[in-house]
Amino acid sequence: QVQLVESGGGLVQTGGSLRLSCAASGSIFRINAMGWYRQAPGKQRELVATITSGGSTNYADSVKGRFTISRDNAKNTVYLQMNRLKPEDTAVYYCNADGRLYHSDYSEDFGSWGQGTQVTVSS
């Protein structure tokens, strides 16, 4: 199976920046699309940004111009650069990935979620 581990969350002041990372690991696999989601207390999970294997990106309107998603295929890692953070950005941020997992005698599609990393913006 493929595991996703998020990191980079923390406590920052309004207007500050954070860079989230999501590293994929496991057996032999190929990742297609990856994305970042977030869930604030009392609210449902929402899409923040996505990036395809070809590098095409899209963002939620609430983060356009402030957040940037990028991908390092050699490291099997996706990043989310968050600038000019606002209190409403406070949430647990989750990484998602889909692709193909290769076993010794067969392969299968997969979809994985990380455990999340907390982002808190004060002031």
Side-chain angles (χ1 to χ4, degrees), residues 80-120:
L80 185 67
Q81 179 66 46
M82 306 185 295
N83 298 324
R84 307 199 311 277
L85 284 163
K86 306 174 181 179
E88 51 262 44
D89 294 319
T90 296
V92 177
Y93 284 70
Y94 298 91
C95 177
N96 173 263
D98 73 85
R100 192 79 174 175
L101 178 65
Y102 297 91
H103 300 275
S104 60
D105 57 349
Y106 72 99
S107 63
E108 62 179 338
D109 294 326
F110 76 89
S112 298
W113 288 91
Q115 295 301 307
T117 184
Q118 177 70 50
V119 171
T120 303

Side-chain angles (χ1 to χ4, degrees), residues 45-100:
R45 190 172 301 183
E46 64 175 347
L47 176 67
V48 176
T50 61
I51 185 168
T52 67
S53 59
S56 179
T57 61
N58 67 79
Y59 301 88
D61 290 338
S62 60
V63 306
K64 284 183 179 178
R66 300 188 298 119
F67 291 10
T68 302
I69 187 171
S70 60
R71 183 174 178 176
D72 187 337
N73 292 330
K75 297 181 179 180
N76 291 317
T77 301
V78 65
Y79 305 94
L80 185 67
Q81 179 66 46
M82 306 185 295
N83 298 324
R84 307 199 311 277
L85 284 163
K86 306 174 181 179
E88 51 262 44
D89 294 319
T90 296
V92 177
Y93 284 70
Y94 298 91
C95 177
N96 173 263
D98 73 85
R100 192 79 174 175

Side-chain angles (χ1 to χ4, degrees), residues 38-47:
R38 67 185 182 187
Q39 187 168 22
K43 294 186 176 181
Q44 294 191 353
R45 190 172 301 183
E46 64 175 347
L47 176 67

